[in-house]
Amino acid sequence: MMRRSSMEVLVVQALALLLLCVLLAMPLLHAAHAAGSCLPAEQAALLAFKAGIKEDPVNLVQGWVKSTDCCSGWFGVVCDAQGHVVRLDLRPDPAFDEGVYLTGTISSSLGSLPKLTYLDLSDLKNLSGALPEDLGKLKYLQHLDVRTNKLTGSIPSSFGYLTNLDWLSLGDNFLTGSIPPSLGNLGPKLNYLYLSGGSLSGSIPASIFHLPNLTYLYLGSNRLSGGIPSDLSPLATLQYFDLSGNKLSGGLPKNIGEQLNQLGLLDVSSNKFSGSIPDSIGLASGIHFLGLNNNEFSGHIPAALAKLKNLVYANLANNRLTGPIPQGAPFSTIGMFDNNPGLCGSPLPACKRKLKL
């Protein structure tokens, strides 16, 4: 058998190494090609959104031009391997406050991004106009956040079709009208619902109280009226429950602390709630924020509230509460009890002893 020369061996080894390098590089070459394969219809949808932007002082979308690829270098845009836009995130860096970031409207063309899973236009300050109904077509959407803008009009009922959402944040705008009952169709994936800071009115749809995996429910600072259901047990995973600053009335459910025993925050302040404060709140042992002030609560303060070891803030001011304030750390040192003329005991003046006849 003839032996190969050392030169031949080196050539064979070099060719083998070259072939290996080509094979290893093929996925990278494919990815690079995919990153430069923005689908024309989706590029057009993004350019239609850009056309609705009238001011872009920090150049968030200025670099979106037709001659470049939307999957490669367009700020805030991420595509999948097939060139579908899957993420649009234009929220500003919280470390910098530039005032207004974008002025304009949200184009209905965003509803033509069929594989979009993440849409964040929050904190841009000056987006106005209505929320497009067509956003309800985004059946793969998991995250929708448009908070802290100047959006007006009502919440589209079509948002009830977004059954893959785990995060829905529409608050801190100028939205009006009622909360669509269809939001109750969002189902078991929804974890975070933020509708605070608007002008929403009417009653809270019963369907909202049947979203089984909500951890955060913020409906504060609106014009909501009516009451809340006596049975909140479907919201057993709820940790943050904010109804403050509305026109809600009636009593708090007697078993609220038993049904919502994972609560860390309960804020129903500045409403028209009445009746007694439920003893069961004391069963929500992890609660650290309790806002009951500016209502029409009457009767005694439950002694169980003084046993809430994690409580760091409590406010019961401006109600019709009577009797002695329960004593015990930390409630007696952090409670706010102003404008409850019938209350007594530390930190208020001592209760007067009844004379025995």
Side-chain angles (χ1 to χ4, degrees):
M1 182 181 292
M2 293 181 62
R3 293 185 178 179
R4 291 181 177 177
S5 69
S6 59
M7 181 62 70
E8 289 175 322
V9 171
L10 290 174
V11 169
V12 170
Q13 290 177 340
L15 289 172
L17 182 60
L18 179 61
L19 178 61
L20 178 61
C21 290
V22 170
L23 290 173
L24 291 174
M26 284 181 68
L28 298 176
L29 291 171
H30 175 73
H33 174 71
S37 57
C38 180
L39 299 176
E42 299 193 24
Q43 184 184 56
L46 292 174
L47 289 173
F49 169 79
K50 179 185 176 182
I53 303 301
K54 306 306 178 186
E55 295 181 17
D56 180 15
V58 294
N59 297 325
L60 294 178
V61 297
Q62 191 66 34
W64 293 11
V65 293
K66 190 174 182 179
S67 59
T68 61
D69 196 301
C70 73
C71 295
S72 301
W74 284 25
F75 177 80
V77 178
V78 177
C79 300
D80 65 12
Q82 287 73 45
H84 288 290
V85 177
V86 295
R87 184 182 179 102
L88 177 57
D89 184 358
L90 296 179
R91 59 188 164 158
D93 187 335
F96 302 94
D97 186 1
E98 300 290 341
V100 172
Y101 290 88
L102 286 181
T103 298
T105 57
I106 301 176
S107 173
S108 61
S109 67
L110 294 184
S112 299
L113 301 173
K115 296 298 180 69
L116 196 66
T117 63
Y118 192 102
L119 177 58
D120 200 321
L121 304 175
S122 62
D123 297 309
L124 297 173
K125 308 290 180 68
N126 225 22
L127 291 179
S128 60
L131 284 166
E133 285 272 355
D134 283 357
L135 294 183
K137 297 177 180 178
L138 300 172
K139 62 180 181 179
Y140 295 107
L141 201 62
Q142 299 171 17
H143 178 107
L144 175 57
D145 196 337
V146 295
R147 79 169 79 191
T148 317
N149 281 291
K150 295 182 179 178
L151 298 170
T152 56
S154 58
I155 299 172
S157 60
S158 65
F159 282 15
Y161 294 117
L162 302 173
T163 54
N164 280 302
L165 280 180
D166 58 40
W167 181 289
L168 178 59
S169 179
L170 311 176
D172 300 329
N173 281 289
F174 300 104
L175 298 176
T176 55
S178 58
I179 299 173
S182 62
L183 294 190
N185 298 332
L186 294 178
K189 293 184 179 180
L190 193 67
N191 174 263
Y192 183 97
L193 180 59
Y194 183 85
L195 303 178
S196 292
S199 296
L200 298 173
S201 58
S203 59
I204 303 171
S207 59
I208 297 297
F209 296 103
H210 287 82
L211 290 166
N213 289 313
L214 271 185
T215 302
Y216 305 87
L217 178 56
Y218 295 100
L219 303 176
S221 300
N222 281 293
R223 300 175 183 175
L224 299 170
S225 57
I228 59 176
S230 58
D231 182 13
L232 296 175
S233 58
L235 295 176
T237 61
L238 203 62
Q239 296 179 25
Y240 292 81
F241 192 18
D242 182 5
L243 300 174
S244 63
N246 282 289
K247 300 178 180 179
L248 297 167
S249 58
L252 293 182
K254 183 179 180 180
N255 295 323
I256 186 171
E258 180 180 358
Q259 295 170 346
L260 306 181
N261 59 18
Q262 302 299 309
L263 280 178
L265 177 147
L266 175 62
D267 192 354
V268 298
S269 61
S270 301
N271 279 286
K272 298 180 180 180
F273 287 114
S274 58
S276 59
I277 297 172
D279 289 20
S280 68
I281 292 178
L283 297 176
S285 59
I287 200 165
H288 56 80
F289 185 108
L290 181 61
L292 304 175
N293 51 298
N294 300 318
N295 280 288
E296 298 172 9
F297 290 118
S298 58
H300 288 209
I301 299 173
L305 298 191
K307 299 178 182 179
L308 292 170
K309 302 301 183 182
N310 293 301
L311 200 63
V312 295
Y313 175 87
N315 195 338
L316 290 82
N318 299 307
N319 281 290
R320 300 173 182 175
L321 300 169
T322 58
I325 296 171
Q327 300 301 294
F331 189 70
S332 61
T333 59
I334 63 175
M336 299 182 185
F337 309 102
D338 292 348
N339 297 318
N340 287 283
L343 284 180
C344 59
S346 177
L348 299 179
C351 298
K352 296 180 180 179
R353 294 183 179 180
K354 291 183 178 180
L355 295 175
K356 293 182 179 181
L357 298 177

